[in-house]
Amino acid sequence: MALRVARRLATRASGLRATTAAVATATAAAPPADFLSAVPLLVACTAPFSALAGAPAASGDDASGLRAAIEAKVPGERERLKALKAQHGNKVLGEVTLGMAIGGMRGIKGMLWETSLLDEEEGIRFRGHTIDDLQASLPAATPKGEPLPEGLLWLLLTGDVPSATQVAALKAELGARAAAQEGSVRAMCEAYRLGGMHPMTQLSSRVLFLQPKSAFAAAYGAGVPKTELWKPCYEDALDLIAVLPMVAGDIYRSSFKPSLGWVSADPSLDWAANYARMMGFKEPAMDELMRLYLTIHSDHEGGNVSAHATRLVGSALSDPYLSFSAGMNGLAGPLHGLANQEVLVWLRSVQADLGASPSTEQLTDFVWTTLKSGKVVPGYGHAVLRKTDPRYTCQRQFALKHMPDDDGFKLVSKLYEVVPEVLKATGKVKNPWPNVDAHSGVLLQHYGLREAEYYTVLFGVSRALGVLSQLVWDRALGLPIERPKSLSMAAAEKEVGQ
Ligand code: NMX
Ligand code: MLT
């Protein structure tokens, strides 16, 4: 009953969409040159955009059967957690030293995260499956092709590898959800031309502008009980995932290729290929790269900044739009997701200084110069991994298959022989091996996506699959508000008897 009330509330404002579109047309003129010139536009648009409330449209019909598949698992997973807590809730998971509290909580086992688990040697497993497993078992668009991210989304949400029929149904459902929201999303995108801002700031802001759509916020406001809140959380997650290519594709076009204009989704295409079209790319190999890229960047257990920020904000029962936007603000940091931008900028500086085929000695000197100037070598190191990231390895395999003679790829390969030795020689870097970001830029650049400042947006669109899937389970399992204990230095001194 309360859920029905929430749905009614969530559709009430849809009649205002015409007003929204009119405002959008009036304000869509020239993109602002910089942030300050964007401010009056934001102020002008704030009030009419409450009209976005209630546009989730396709929500509720479970056309793919995914929600029913999750629902079938919820009681069993709740029981499992209840039993764990009752029988083992007082077992010790590890000790927390003062060094860990000072050192970014590294190594503290302090949360549950169901969708993926990271092993420091082996790398990531998504619901127990390695990347190699996924490439073999998830349905693909072409024979022996890269996995479809829709299949990964099904896996993350249910724990089961989906059939080709289930993936086709989810692809169709995401397409229908995107089509149903296109009018309101387009109006928002065309009203908020934030071209002077970094693409990640644009992404985070635009997700917030969509927040009035939230079925979760409406459901909470209508008094839907806590045990049922995972359902509107799921609706928001799927609605948001469905429109992210539209939102992010428009950020790309409006920032870098304004002549392309608005690009509608092609219902015959999958989520990743549509995203490629929305950025103006048509080559089948680019579609395959996008499928791989959007699959492997989706999730990296719960402690990384974007995942943890999303979880933390969601734990206050902030809705999925607010939570995901928070995660994107974390992903925008250079030690996290923005490292993919930093890598390409750094590789270009190597090429500008040393030419197309630098020697090992020249590269070694260049890496030392980077370190001595106080900078990190982007794309290398990790807080958990202690070996080469398997996400790096699978991108390398993609390059060997599709673009073995690319100069950027050759440089990345050469650096793999040089950088770890230098980082080891510093004596302080715990993991001298490359992470996911060391490789992605040269692949994208090869297919014409050369604007490095956009790269983290691609990471963010992919990360939505993981963090929003887990958010649905956070609510389904009834996980509480997160609130770890902090210490002042004085309290720490007292604690250690100093
Ligand atoms: N280049 C230079 N110094 C490094 C590097 C690197 N790639 N990696 C670690 N260090 C330094 C680190 O700054 C620290 O120095 P100090 O004691 O002077 O503060 C020291 O080595 C020990 O750090 P670690 O314990 O090895 O690494 P930590 O867990 O603190 O940080 C990263 C992990 C990923 C932040 C770090 O390795 C780094 O800054 N890497 C480069 C940026 C990057 O590629 N980030 C992307 C990570 C993946 N992602 O997408 O999020
Ligand atoms: C990620 O994908 O989130 C990064 O590798 C960072 C991390 O796991 O800490």
Side-chain angles (χ1 to χ4, degrees):
M1 168 66 186
L3 207 55
R4 250 180 284 131
V5 173
R7 276 193 198 121
R8 258 204 320 277
L9 281 176
T11 44
R12 192 173 292 165
S14 57
L16 293 172
R17 266 182 247 157
T19 324
T20 307
V23 172
T25 314
T27 51
D34 55 30
F35 171 69
L36 283 180
S37 66
V39 171
L41 179 60
L42 296 182
V43 173
C45 290
T46 302
F49 269 85
S50 57
L52 273 171
S59 308
D61 60 1
D62 194 28
S64 65
L66 176 56
R67 197 183 59 207
I70 300 168
E71 191 156 17
K73 304 239 167 190
V74 168
E77 291 300 280
R78 283 182 179 160
E79 280 309 309
R80 196 173 155 205
L81 184 62
K82 206 166 137 197
L84 256 181
K85 194 173 161 191
Q87 292 161 27
H88 304 288
N90 58 0
K91 298 263 163 67
V92 176
L93 287 178
E95 62 171 12
V96 179
T97 64
L98 184 53
M100 288 158 109
I102 294 169
M105 298 188 278
R106 207 71 84 254
I108 298 176
K109 291 175 187 152
M111 69 176 93
L112 290 181
W113 191 268
E114 294 303 292
T115 46
S116 67
L117 184 66
L118 186 60
D119 178 87
E120 65 176 47
E121 303 278 322
E122 183 195 47
I124 194 67
R125 277 181 183 256
F126 302 93
R127 291 278 191 180
H129 299 269
T130 64
I131 291 171
D132 285 349
D133 290 345
L134 297 185
Q135 285 176 311
S137 63
L138 282 182
T142 56
K144 296 205 160 101
E146 300 300 341
L148 284 162
E150 291 90 334
L152 179 82
L153 178 60
W154 188 292
L155 173 69
L156 293 173
L157 277 163
T158 64
D160 297 332
V161 173
S163 66
T165 311
Q166 286 168 324
V167 170
L170 181 54
K171 175 189 133 189
E173 181 175 338
L174 288 175
R177 284 178 185 261
Q181 298 177 84
E182 182 175 358
S184 60
V185 170
R186 181 174 180 176
M188 180 276 287
C189 288
E190 292 182 348
Y192 292 111
R193 285 281 177 246
L194 306 176
M197 294 183 182
H198 188 278
M200 280 305 283
T201 315
Q202 296 190 47
L203 177 65
S204 161
S205 306
R206 282 181 164 192
V207 170
L208 287 181
F209 296 151
L210 292 175
Q211 187 273 340
K213 284 170 171 287
S214 175
F216 182 95
Y220 186 82
V224 170
K226 192 176 149 185
T227 49
E228 295 293 297
L229 279 177
W230 72 267
K231 292 174 185 166
C233 182
Y234 170 83
E235 296 303 331
D236 281 357
L238 257 72
D239 278 350
L240 180 53
I241 288 168
V243 299
L244 273 176
M246 209 185 275
V247 169
D250 183 70
I251 291 172
Y252 182 74
R253 292 190 311 273
S254 60
S255 299
F256 307 112
K257 294 184 182 163
S259 63
L260 286 179
W262 185 258
V263 180
S264 291
D266 174 346
S268 71
L269 291 177
D270 53 282
W271 188 69
N274 259 316
Y275 186 15
R277 288 305 166 283
M278 287 172 181
M279 293 183 291
F281 300 103
K282 298 195 174 80
E283 221 179 298
M286 179 61 163
D287 292 350
E288 280 293 90
L289 175 60
M290 291 298 291
R291 290 173 189 127
L292 178 67
Y293 189 107
L294 295 172
T295 296
I296 64 174
H297 287 78
S298 59
D299 209 27
H300 218 227
E301 72 172 28
N304 68 75
V305 172
S306 51
H308 192 203
T310 306
R311 139 75 62 84
L312 175 67
V313 172
S315 83
L317 299 187
S318 304
D319 65 57
Y321 294 88
L322 298 171
S323 308
F324 179 64
S325 179
M328 291 303 94
N329 294 336
L331 194 71
L335 296 187
H336 188 22
L338 200 82
N340 60 9
Q341 164 185 321
E342 301 284 281
V343 167
L344 206 74
V345 171
W346 186 75
L347 291 177
R348 284 178 183 156
S349 70
V350 174
Q351 285 167 326
D353 260 43
L354 306 178
S357 329
S359 67
T360 302
E361 201 178 29
Q362 282 176 309
L363 284 176
T364 305
D365 286 349
F366 196 95
V367 175
W368 275 116
T369 306
T370 300
L371 292 175
K372 283 177 187 157
S373 70
K375 294 182 184 147
V376 295
V377 179
Y380 280 78
H382 201 273
V384 179
L385 284 167
R386 293 297 175 257
K387 287 275 167 65
T388 297
D389 191 334
R391 299 173 298 177
Y392 174 95
T393 310
C394 77
Q395 293 182 87
R396 178 172 167 75
Q397 283 157 357
F398 187 95
L400 285 168
K401 182 171 166 192
H402 295 278
M403 42 179 271
D405 298 325
D406 180 89
D407 280 347
F409 171 52
K410 285 184 188 158
L411 178 58
V412 164
S413 302
K414 186 93 181 147
L415 284 163
Y416 191 20
E417 294 161 19
V418 170
V419 177
E421 293 314 310
V422 177
L423 292 181
K424 280 181 208 166
T426 66
K428 67 172 184 179
V429 178
K430 294 196 187 62
N431 174 34
W433 303 106
N435 61 55
V436 65
D437 300 316
H439 215 307
S440 53
V442 293
L443 301 178
L444 297 165
Q445 178 174 255
H446 179 82
Y447 292 105
L449 210 172
R450 299 181 56 81
E451 297 83 1
E453 60 271 47
Y454 185 77
Y455 289 176
T456 314
V457 173
L458 293 157
F459 195 155
V461 171
S462 171
R463 186 63 35 124
L465 302 178
V467 300
L468 292 174
S469 296
Q470 180 59 46
L471 202 62
V472 171
W473 277 101
D474 288 358
R475 299 290 72 79
L477 294 170
L479 297 184
I481 188 166
E482 284 196 352
R483 204 323 187 168
K485 179 81 186 83
S486 66
L487 296 173
S488 61
M489 275 202 266
E493 283 159 357
K494 198 167 157 205
E495 195 99 18
V496 297
Q498 190 185 307

